[in-house]
Amino acid sequence: KKSRNNDKKILWDATERNENGKAKILDVVVVGCGLPKANIGWFHLMQLLQMPNVQIRAVVEPYYLDRERCPHPPPSFVDFMGTLVDMDIPCYYHVGQLEPFRRPTLCILSGRTSENPKFFRECLGLGATHIYLEAPGAPTVSQLREMKTLADTRGVRVYMGYQTLAAKYVENAVALSRSIPNSHVFFCHNDTNQSADLHKIFFRHPEGLLRSMASYDLAILVSQYKVTANLIEKFKVNTNRLFSERKTFRNNAQGKELTDYSRVAFKITTKKGQHVSVMADRCGGLVSFAVVKNHKGEEIRRFESHDQSEVSDVRRQIKEDKEMNRQFIVQADDFLELKRRIVTGILSGKDDGRALELMNVVGIGEGIDVLILADYCTKEIDAVLKAGDGG
């Protein structure tokens, strides 16, 4: 009951602000809510409810609300849905149950990647004017291209959920690197998983490290440095096992075997002479960082995602709420800032291509380039590590 009462207070506060406020308000529909504290759709919803310029018009959960697919949903989910219903927020199991949109509407698509193309078409059919697409957006490049074509035809703006670009440490590193001729930037993206849980992570993200965790760093390269696969002159993998490691896990229950990276590091040199490096480590810890170097390879400055005070606060929150997905705690500010920029841009009418670039928001066009780059990197890294028995 305590959890439900807390959720109700959040919703009441949000409703009061939205009804009494004089500012413009954007209608938002969340598709793919998932479970409380576990899935990104739920986390988006909780943050959106705290935004005074947003009105949640509906929530769609295609699995847990479908009695045929899930006859006995978890109590935490049932409780949360009850809270939403109490606050007159409609909840459905299928997008087709919604009435056509009559006002500008942003649809947040946060279901499984394989289901995104279907949700995308359904939301466009209802008249969505804007779509927030959780990365990587679609299982294949061709599907994402088809989605872009469909959105362009209908004049719908599509944003990709690459929240790392809204992180201060990334923005500061990019700004400094642009002021230094022939600079080299190294982005290190760490996550807080335990090595004992890697098998779960692998099967939870069968699309692979480069298309999941590392894609956020590739989005930085694409959007901020215009690095695309066709412009790469040299691709060098750090084969030291401390930096790059391949592992294979078997799911005996499913009879499936999956090989992927627990961590990987590489350097890209473009045909324009740019030098950028990336490392993604699923068990690297809480703090991510970016290092800017001069043309001699000397470190100019290091920017970290969290200072010592913030690290202590995050660790406290993780300890106090062990059920919460750690990524939500670690990157809460980045998630919120990206949504704030998108909503503000939509309401102000400043959400065209140039505006997105200034806000460091990735559109679906660049999202396609990210996916192509991820596939390129995967192929190159596989070739090197397999040849050197690096796994």
Side-chain angles (χ1 to χ4, degrees), residues 135-136 162 189 209-220 370 374:
Y162 288 114
H189 183 174
L209 177 64
L210 272 300
R211 276 182 167 229
S212 54
M213 179 182 173
S215 68
Y216 293 83
D217 305 280
L218 299 183
I220 299 172
V370 172

Side-chain angles (χ1 to χ4, degrees), residues 80-378:
F80 183 63
M81 288 296 105
T83 299
L84 296 179
V85 171
D86 286 346
M87 300 309 300
D88 293 325
I89 296 179
C91 301
Y92 305 101
Y93 73 88
H94 193 282
V95 175
Q97 294 177 288
L98 279 69
E99 294 291 330
F101 306 136
R102 298 180 179 180
R103 290 159 42 95
T105 301
L106 169 67
C107 288
I108 308 280
L109 306 190
S110 49
R112 294 184 178 182
T113 300
S114 60
E115 296 179 314
N116 274 341
K118 177 172 69 77
F119 295 150
F120 190 89
R121 290 189 296 271
E122 291 172 343
C123 288
L124 289 184
L126 288 174
T129 54
H130 302 79
I131 290 180
Y132 178 113
L133 191 57
E134 205 51 58
T140 67
V141 172
S142 61
Q143 285 176 298
L144 201 56
R145 280 178 173 152
E146 290 174 1
M147 293 159 68
K148 180 181 184 301
T149 298
L150 186 57
D152 289 345
T153 301
R154 302 199 178 197
V156 174
R157 190 79 63 191
V158 183
Y159 318 94
M160 302 298 298
Y162 288 114
Q163 74 280 347
T164 305
L165 276 96
K168 284 296 181 184
Y169 83 97
V170 170
E171 293 186 325
N172 290 335
V174 170
L176 178 60
S177 70
R178 288 174 174 169
S179 69
I180 300 174
N182 301 315
S183 62
H184 174 204
V185 192
F186 170 50
F187 294 99
C188 182
H189 183 174
N190 288 319
D191 209 341
T192 58
N193 300 301
Q194 302 298 312
S195 57
D197 295 327
L198 273 176
H199 63 291
K200 299 178 184 178
I201 304 301
F202 275 38
F203 283 95
R204 192 179 302 156
H205 298 282
E207 67 271 24
L209 177 64
L210 272 300
R211 276 182 167 229
S212 54
M213 179 182 173
S215 68
Y216 293 83
D217 305 280
L218 299 183
I220 299 172
L221 304 192
V222 168
S223 67
Q224 302 301 305
Y225 297 98
K226 308 306 176 186
V227 174
T228 53
N230 63 311
L231 291 179
I232 295 177
E233 179 74 31
K234 184 178 180 181
F235 189 95
K236 184 178 181 180
V237 183
N238 188 332
T239 58
N240 188 312
R241 286 178 64 91
L242 294 176
F243 293 87
S244 299
E245 181 183 50
R246 292 174 71 246
K247 281 183 172 293
T248 298
F249 291 104
R250 181 174 178 79
N251 186 321
N252 292 324
Q254 298 179 4
K256 295 182 180 179
E257 193 172 84
L258 190 60
T259 298
D260 193 17
Y261 311 109
S262 61
R263 54 183 174 268
V264 71
F266 54 89
K267 179 180 179 181
I268 291 175
T269 301
T270 70
K271 296 175 182 178
K272 296 181 180 180
Q274 297 168 295
H275 302 283
V276 287
S277 296
V278 168
M279 179 171 182
D281 189 343
R282 282 173 158 153
C283 305
L286 192 152
V287 179
S288 297
F289 61 89
V291 176
V292 179
K293 301 179 181 180
N294 61 20
H295 68 285
K296 296 180 180 179
E298 300 167 336
E299 181 175 322
I300 302 299
R301 188 168 177 183
R302 175 187 175 111
F303 300 90
E304 298 188 339
S305 60
H306 300 74
D307 59 28
Q308 289 190 355
S309 174
E310 292 167 335
V311 168
S312 298
D313 185 52
V314 168
R315 285 177 175 164
R316 176 187 58 77
Q317 293 182 56
I318 291 175
K319 184 177 181 180
E320 290 178 352
D321 194 345
K322 293 182 172 59
E323 295 180 359
M324 183 73 76
N325 185 319
R326 292 184 177 184
Q327 184 190 18
F328 301 162
I329 298 175
V330 175
Q331 289 193 286
D333 292 344
D334 303 338
F335 280 115
L336 181 60
E337 178 61 18
L338 176 59
K339 289 191 286 288
R340 186 195 66 78
R341 293 180 185 185
I342 290 173
V343 170
T344 300
I346 293 172
L347 291 176
S348 66
K350 298 177 180 179
D351 64 332
D352 58 11
R354 177 56 179 162
L356 291 181
E357 186 176 340
L358 293 174
M359 291 189 294
N360 292 339
V361 176
V362 175
I364 192 170
E366 288 184 324
I368 293 170
D369 289 333
V370 172
L371 207 51
I372 293 173
L373 183 58
D375 291 346
Y376 174 94
C377 293
T378 300

